[in-house]
Amino acid sequence: METKTISAEDVGIGVDLSPPLSPLTFSLYDSFLSSHCSSCFSLLPPTPPHSLYCSAACSLVDDSPTVSPPDLSPILSTSDIRAALRLLNSISSSSAAASLPHRFGGLLTNHRRLMADSSFSVAIRRAASFISAVLRSDRGNTVLEEAAICAVLTNAVEVQDRAGVAIGIAVYGSRFSWINHSCSPNACYRFVISPPPHSTTTSSFQETLPRITNTDKEHFSSNYEGTVRYGPKVIVRSIKRIKSGEEITVSYIDLLQPTGLRQSDLWSKYRFICNCGRCAASPPAYVDSILEGVVALDHDELTTVGHHDGAATVGKMTSHINKAIDDFLSDDIDPATCCEKIEGVLHHGILDSSSLRLHPSHHAALHAYITLASAYRIRSIDSETDDFGRAFEMSRIGAAYSLFLAGVSHHLVSAELSFAISAANFWTRAGESLLELASKFLMESSGEYDDDDVKCSKCLMLVENHGEIKENFNQILKCAVTDSDSSQVTWSFLIRGCPYLQNFKSSIDFSFTGNHCKREESKSVDQRVSILLLSFHCLLYADLLTDLCYGRKSHSVS
């Protein structure tokens, strides 16, 4: 019988469901071992002497063996091995051995499925032998070490720092690890990273009101904390309304993918097929239809790939975009070539089908916008020293793609609130890129502006009064994009010289007709103030999303 983590009471949107939970084990990724503390994951001081720890306190509390595991397999990273070693060091062999190899210290190991796959089993056995040698085990077998590795592979989550960068992994007890996956989850989680002596946790949780329980009372831990009292802590938070007795779910993967890619991702990482409502929906859920949708320009309508004769054509477009992104990330092509290749596919399609285009919300298009915004920003930075005018133009187009991506994410969040985490990042980046553009504007322009010109008291008051979340989202967009006299002029200014984005009437209007939108730059608008005001609204929207996912006092809200 499958266990389910359920809510012990009715819970609203944006409520912490758990206190800060300490990990059972954790490990930094190799690339962050020299920059972050191996005990608390905080940044190390920039000055020598270099150490694994940020303080004496961190070095004292971490009693795990210091080793450099060999790179045994692409499937099994060195951080996985270090985490398994720390797990064995933190849990007594006698308590772990009682239910081996299917459970390890209360954790499900997925041992049978992982060891049945030769690509996993070979790497797991080699890593288990290495750990056994480090611990100088004399048991005569490596079942315990195999179970620890499988427990890490099955239960570890990526730990993100304040900037959202994945810096390592951590495994938590049953209060967290037993929460099942859903592609339409009603909860998310955030990390608290701070040194032990100064550990401050941000949570609205009241310990007198336990909000998480489980259908398997026998094995479900009654202790909220992990066996170690240091390392990155995790807090579970609701992103939808949850009724008492309703299952609590989180996402294990990137949700901005169509069903087929999500299922493939889950199987390769966790060896299970998701049967949540979104995956089982027939016909596909609306968000999945647009994440793999195309637009037939001669009909001006959305067509789903799965029901369209041009599926092969769309596959070619997706492949072209993905190759350009991969080449850019691996430095095989320069930013300018990357932009040319990706924009060519987005705007012109491919030769054998001039009438088909990817839907603006197609999963490949989303990755294209992210890459284009980054590539144009790099081109802007590269041009700053010798051609400020070109640097400004590259910054302007990069900001346009960031803003368009944010607008697409609003469309997705309106249909599925669990996209809020991704959308918060997109809106933050849009606000920051517009702020960078405004700073360049001020460098080449003269004149002053009033601070009140770049703030919106109405939207500020709306947020401070904690109104209905979706109403607040819509009001901010209405103020910034729909009702503003300067919004269309500003959008036309941002997309100047960008044929693909000129197909769209605004950053949130995705009517794709293949015709350039009407230019309205003739109106008199102070673009400096207009862009700053737009940046303000983007960051305010991002703060709303961040508050929903992480709490108002989270480090992400600034």
Side-chain angles (χ1 to χ4, degrees):
M1 176 181 173
E2 182 186 28
T3 63
K4 293 182 179 181
T5 298
I6 59 177
S7 178
E9 61 180 51
D10 291 342
V11 175
I13 299 175
V15 175
D16 286 351
L17 301 174
S18 76
L21 304 174
S22 295
L24 295 171
T25 184
F26 52 88
S27 176
L28 288 167
Y29 288 139
D30 287 356
S31 55
F32 294 97
L33 287 171
S34 60
S35 59
H36 289 68
C37 176
S38 293
S39 176
C40 70
F41 281 28
S42 297
L43 273 171
L44 291 172
T47 56
H50 294 294
S51 169
L52 292 174
Y53 305 101
C54 65
S55 66
C58 278
S59 65
L60 289 173
V61 296
D62 188 4
D63 58 355
S64 60
T66 301
V67 296
S68 298
D71 191 359
L72 299 174
S73 166
I75 293 175
L76 196 61
S77 69
T78 53
S79 55
D80 292 327
I81 299 174
R82 282 193 299 270
L85 189 57
R86 181 180 264 117
L87 183 61
L88 284 162
N89 198 55
S90 65
I91 297 179
S92 67
S93 300
S94 58
S95 62
S99 53
L100 288 176
H102 307 297
R103 291 181 187 272
F104 184 96
L107 297 173
L108 299 174
T109 65
N110 215 12
H111 182 273
R112 181 179 59 82
R113 287 186 178 180
L114 290 174
M115 298 306 288
D117 188 324
S118 59
S119 60
F120 276 95
S121 61
V122 172
I124 290 171
R125 289 193 179 100
R126 291 176 65 189
S129 297
F130 170 79
I131 292 174
S132 179
V134 170
L135 297 178
R136 298 179 180 177
S137 171
D138 57 359
R139 288 189 311 276
N141 64 65
T142 58
V143 175
L144 186 66
E145 289 81 3
E146 288 178 14
I149 295 167
C150 290
V152 169
L153 291 174
T154 301
N155 298 282
V157 291
E158 281 195 321
V159 178
Q160 297 182 344
D161 66 5
R162 292 170 182 263
V165 177
I167 59 176
I169 60 171
V171 175
Y172 299 89
S174 58
R175 291 280 173 181
F176 179 78
S177 292
W178 284 20
I179 300 177
N180 287 324
H181 164 84
S182 172
C183 295
S184 179
N186 54 22
C188 65
Y189 51 90
R190 70 181 186 273
F191 297 98
V192 178
I193 299 175
S194 58
H198 311 288
S199 181
T200 56
T201 53
T202 305
S203 172
S204 61
F205 182 84
Q206 299 176 19
E207 298 217 21
T208 55
L209 295 174
R211 295 184 175 126
I212 291 181
T213 185
N214 194 277
T215 54
D216 184 353
K217 298 291 195 300
E218 179 182 354
H219 294 99
F220 193 60
S221 172
S222 61
N223 182 8
Y224 280 116
E225 299 290 337
T227 56
V228 294
R229 296 294 183 264
Y230 55 96
K233 292 180 171 63
V234 69
I235 297 174
V236 183
R237 185 174 176 85
S238 66
I239 52 174
K240 297 178 182 177
R241 288 185 174 86
I242 306 174
K243 294 181 180 179
S244 178
E246 182 180 348
E247 182 176 14
I248 295 169
T249 56
V250 297
S251 174
Y252 296 176
I253 57 169
D254 175 16
L255 295 175
L256 290 175
Q257 306 178 87
T259 305
L261 291 180
R262 294 198 311 275
Q263 296 286 15
S264 176
D265 202 3
L266 286 167
W267 181 256
S268 65
K269 293 178 180 177
Y270 303 104
R271 286 298 186 266
F272 74 85
I273 300 297
C274 181
N275 292 309
C276 71
R278 181 181 167 192
C279 288
S282 182
Y286 171 70
V287 290
D288 285 315
S289 69
I290 61 176
L291 281 171
E292 56 180 347
V294 297
V295 174
L297 296 186
D298 49 352
H299 295 104
D300 187 24
E301 63 181 13
L302 170 68
T303 309
T304 303
V305 171
H307 301 88
H308 197 279
D309 293 337
T313 300
V314 175
K316 290 181 181 179
M317 287 191 282
T318 301
S319 178
H320 278 50
I321 289 175
N322 289 339
K323 186 178 188 310
I325 293 173
D326 290 341
D327 289 344
F328 171 65
L329 294 177
S330 58
D331 292 328
D332 289 339
I333 58 174
D334 59 69
T337 304
C338 171
C339 293
E340 181 182 351
K341 288 188 174 185
I342 293 177
E343 288 177 312
V345 176
L346 289 175
H347 186 56
H348 298 292
I350 54 177
L351 294 177
D352 57 354
S353 182
S354 58
S355 66
L356 286 183
R357 301 291 184 275
L358 297 180
H359 188 279
S361 299
H362 191 282
H363 67 96
L366 299 181
H367 290 292
Y369 307 147
I370 295 170
T371 305
L372 287 168
S374 176
Y376 272 108
R377 186 170 186 271
I378 292 173
R379 295 172 70 181
S380 174
I381 293 171
D382 290 344
S383 303
E384 283 179 349
T385 54
D386 54 1
D387 190 343
F388 184 82
R390 180 169 176 78
F392 180 85
E393 293 302 302
M394 296 298 99
S395 180
R396 175 178 58 77
I397 298 176
Y401 275 112
S402 291
L403 181 61
F404 190 68
L405 175 61
V408 173
S409 73
H410 166 75
H411 187 61
L412 291 166
V413 167
S414 298
E416 174 53 65
L417 199 53
S418 58
F419 292 141
I421 297 174
S422 297
N425 294 328
F426 296 154
W427 281 95
T428 298
R429 185 63 199 124
E432 291 173 347
S433 63
L434 288 166
L435 202 56
E436 290 176 6
L437 178 63
S439 69
K440 288 182 170 61
F441 227 134
L442 294 171
M443 288 172 65
E444 71 169 9
S445 305
S446 59
E448 299 292 332
Y449 64 88
D450 193 311
D451 283 350
D452 290 336
D453 290 338
V454 294
K455 286 190 254 183
C456 177
S457 299
K458 182 178 180 181
C459 289
L460 270 178
M461 187 179 300
L462 193 75
V463 174
E464 290 169 356
N465 290 338
H466 304 284
E468 179 67 26
I469 289 177
K470 287 191 176 181
E471 289 181 7
N472 288 352
F473 291 158
N474 291 331
Q475 175 56 46
I476 290 174
L477 284 182
K478 184 179 179 182
C479 185
V481 179
T482 308
D483 288 354
S484 173
D485 292 336
S486 62
S487 61
Q488 184 60 58
V489 180
T490 302
W491 176 244
S492 295
F493 166 75
L494 290 173
I495 63 175
R496 187 176 61 201
C498 184
Y500 173 69
L501 291 181
Q502 286 176 347
N503 286 298
F504 304 99
K505 296 177 182 178
S506 76
S507 58
I508 60 170
D509 186 341
F510 309 132
S511 303
F512 197 139
T513 63
N515 301 316
H516 292 322
C517 64
K518 184 180 178 181
R519 295 278 294 277
E520 296 192 28
E521 291 186 54
S522 57
K523 292 182 179 179
S524 178
V525 171
D526 187 337
Q527 291 292 5
R528 296 176 304 166
V529 173
S530 182
I531 289 170
L532 281 169
L533 188 60
L534 185 56
S535 172
F536 167 82
H537 281 93
C538 287
L539 294 173
L540 196 61
Y541 191 116
D543 272 5
L544 276 175
L545 290 167
T546 307
D547 180 32
L548 165 66
C549 300
Y550 303 116
R552 189 167 298 278
K553 295 181 181 179
S554 167
H555 58 69
S556 299
V557 180
S558 61

